[in-house]
Amino acid sequence: MPHSPIPARRTKIVATLGPASDRPGVLERMIAAGVDVVRLNFSHGSADDHRRRLVEVREIATRLGRSVAALGDLQGPKIRIARFRDGAVELEQGQTFVLDVALDGEAGDAGRVGCDYKALADDVAPGDRLLLDDGRLVVDVTRVAGSEIHTTVVQGGRLSNNKGINKQGGGLSAPALTDKDKADLATAIDIGVDYLAVSFPRSAADMHEARALLGSAGAEIGLVAKLERAEAVADDATLDGIIEASEAVMVARGDLGVEIGDEALIGTQKRIIKHARSHNRAVITATQMMESMIEAPLPTRAEVFDVANAVLDATDAVMLSAETAAGDFPVETIEAMARVCLGAERERIAQESGHRIHEGFSRIDETIALSAMYAANHLAGVAAIACMTATGYTPLIASRIRSGLPIVGLAHNPVAQRRMALYRGVISLPFDTSEMTAGELNDRALERLVAQGIAEPGDHVILTRGDHMNAHGGTDTLKILAVETCHA
């Protein structure tokens, strides 16, 4: 396999695929520019589209010597208004407007419109506030009469077909997994995604349902909970339950910001990231991170600071949506995001950690992983932490501690290699131990790191491994190895 340059960047980049990335040569340039995870958005495109894109991603990644993970993203119960006869209407502040779940889907006008979510009339009551089109328009419910929800417009504007509806504070009862999601879940298993994102979970039960639907065929797919409902973040118990039921979580700031308010979103983002890391789960920060670059070749200063702030919060990954799926500058956006991540990571706060320093450990592999990171952060001359791993769990635990040193996940299993592509600070490398004797393992590992340019003669490498290789939870050994000339 060809050797790819090892990026100094620790924060991972998730990029959504779409028509923009389908342009000739663009996907390869995106991956070469630093994409670690590709997102297949099941809200758009066909199963064949997603299959074709993932096949191309895997071919390019293999050719470039990269581990690139695939994240399938289920649409979830996006609650929308129906359609207007003339395509759009103007709502004026103070006017009355009716959401009628029984109205013909094409019959909307300036006074009323239908809704695809028939239970909406049961979920709202006088005094509730509804936000339309991602909060751009605001209406207050005055009364509910059968299928009709009568409202007064608080903030008006242009309202067009199929725009979303949110209830401020949450409380809509739509299930997290729709019939479409269940069909898309089967497609995700079939095409071989590494992660699957569940939209709008309200509690851990929604994630458990998704896990049951994945079954044995999807047992190696990691679940990502998209935190976008007010109920999901209302209290620590609910949030922690969702986190523990998932392999990763996403701070989905669009719908979440609408439901809880932008002023509450700031602290909530930090709380989600902190809780995810304390529970040894990966976390993605998403939505409008470099939105202006859909049409512009450079980000705004505000976007630069937004990405940098997420990096300093210790997010594992930052995500691009329309910027790379439909924008004019997908490659330039990835390059800009990578520069910002690197700049933020140079700050001292990004390299200092007090993670679990006063807590006890319950697992041997966890103890070894955290001990390796503390040793690496305090011993001069250490170039990297290398973890021989069957599943990627030891590098994940190690990556919960802030550091400026690379964590190298050495794995034979390609699924584990791609899983690690999401973890902050982890470099995923293929490493087949099946033909090696126990005495060869350490030397071959050091040779791999030297060949990749991660370590050089005179450095030290902290190596973790198990006496029984390729066994889940088997890491029980920590060694500090000197890199000698013979490994060059």
Side-chain angles (χ1 to χ4, degrees), residues 134-135 168 253-268 288:
D134 290 333
Q168 191 171 75
R253 304 181 305 180
D255 284 283
L256 182 60
V258 171
E259 290 210 357
I260 68 174
D262 289 338
E263 69 283 356
L265 186 60
I266 303 159
T268 299
Q288 295 179 328

Side-chain angles (χ1 to χ4, degrees), residues 51 82 98 111 129 144 166 272 280 292 368:
R51 184 188 309 276
V98 178
R129 173 159 288 188
V144 180
N166 293 87
I272 292 170
N280 297 326
S292 72
I368 295 291

Side-chain angles (χ1 to χ4, degrees), residues 141-158:
V141 177
T142 55
R143 66 187 181 94
V144 180
S147 66
E148 297 181 347
I149 303 163
H150 293 256
T151 74
T152 299
V153 177
V154 176
Q155 181 174 307
R158 185 175 186 271

Side-chain angles (χ1 to χ4, degrees), residues 329-360:
F329 302 97
V331 178
E332 292 85 348
T333 305
I334 292 159
E335 292 171 343
M337 182 168 263
R339 288 194 302 271
V340 173
C341 290
L342 278 167
E345 288 165 3
R346 292 188 190 104
E347 295 301 311
R348 181 179 295 274
I349 188 176
Q351 301 180 22
E352 295 179 340
S353 180
H355 178 71
R356 300 185 65 184
I357 199 163
H358 300 299
E359 295 180 27

Side-chain angles (χ1 to χ4, degrees), residues 20-261:
S21 64
D22 286 344
R23 298 196 296 263
V26 170
L27 182 57
E28 180 156 353
R29 290 171 60 210
M30 286 170 57
I31 292 173
V35 171
D36 300 288
V37 182
V38 296
R39 173 175 172 250
L40 306 172
N41 184 1
F42 287 110
S43 295
H44 306 285
S46 66
D48 287 342
D49 290 332
H50 301 310
R51 184 188 309 276
R52 168 181 54 79
R53 287 168 179 154
L54 184 50
V55 167
E56 190 176 359
V57 166
R58 296 263 161 87
E59 184 275 323
I60 292 169
T62 298
R63 181 154 36 83
L64 296 181
R66 295 280 308 283
S67 288
V68 178
L71 167 66
D73 194 337
L74 301 177
Q75 177 175 302
K78 186 70 175 179
I79 298 166
R80 302 178 185 275
I81 62 168
R83 301 173 63 83
F84 297 98
R85 290 195 193 99
D86 299 323
V89 298
E90 286 288 335
L91 297 187
E92 302 290 339
Q93 182 178 355
Q95 80 166 79
T96 59
F97 188 69
V98 178
L99 299 168
D100 187 348
V101 298
L103 187 69
D104 180 273
E106 304 289 331
D109 58 29
R112 66 179 55 222
V113 72
C115 176
D116 63 356
Y117 176 53
K118 303 308 179 186
L120 184 63
D122 299 320
D123 284 354
V124 300
D128 286 342
R129 173 159 288 188
L130 302 178
L131 305 110
L132 312 178
D133 191 10
D134 290 333
R136 292 179 178 87
L137 294 90
V138 180
V139 300
D140 284 345
V141 177
T142 55
R143 66 187 181 94
V144 180
S147 66
E148 297 181 347
I149 303 163
H150 293 256
T151 74
T152 299
V153 177
V154 176
Q155 181 174 307
R158 185 175 186 271
L159 183 61
S160 56
N161 295 335
N162 303 318
K163 294 303 181 184
I165 304 173
N166 293 87
K167 180 182 173 185
Q168 191 171 75
L172 298 181
S173 61
L177 291 161
T178 66
D179 290 342
K180 171 178 165 47
D181 292 332
K182 292 172 183 176
D184 288 338
L185 183 145
T187 297
I189 294 172
D190 185 49
I191 66 177
V193 303
D194 303 294
Y195 291 97
L196 185 68
V198 177
S199 296
F200 301 98
R202 289 170 294 180
S203 68
D206 290 326
M207 302 309 297
H208 293 316
E209 181 186 0
R211 182 90 58 194
L213 289 169
L214 283 175
S216 58
E220 292 189 314
I221 296 175
L223 285 179
V224 180
K226 293 174 67 179
L227 299 171
E228 46 198 337
R229 278 182 158 163
E231 301 96 303
V233 299
D235 57 78
D236 285 350
T238 302
L239 174 61
D240 290 344
I242 293 173
I243 291 170
E244 289 172 357
S246 313
E247 276 68 43
V249 295
M250 182 188 297
V251 190
R253 304 181 305 180
D255 284 283
L256 182 60
V258 171
E259 290 210 357
I260 68 174

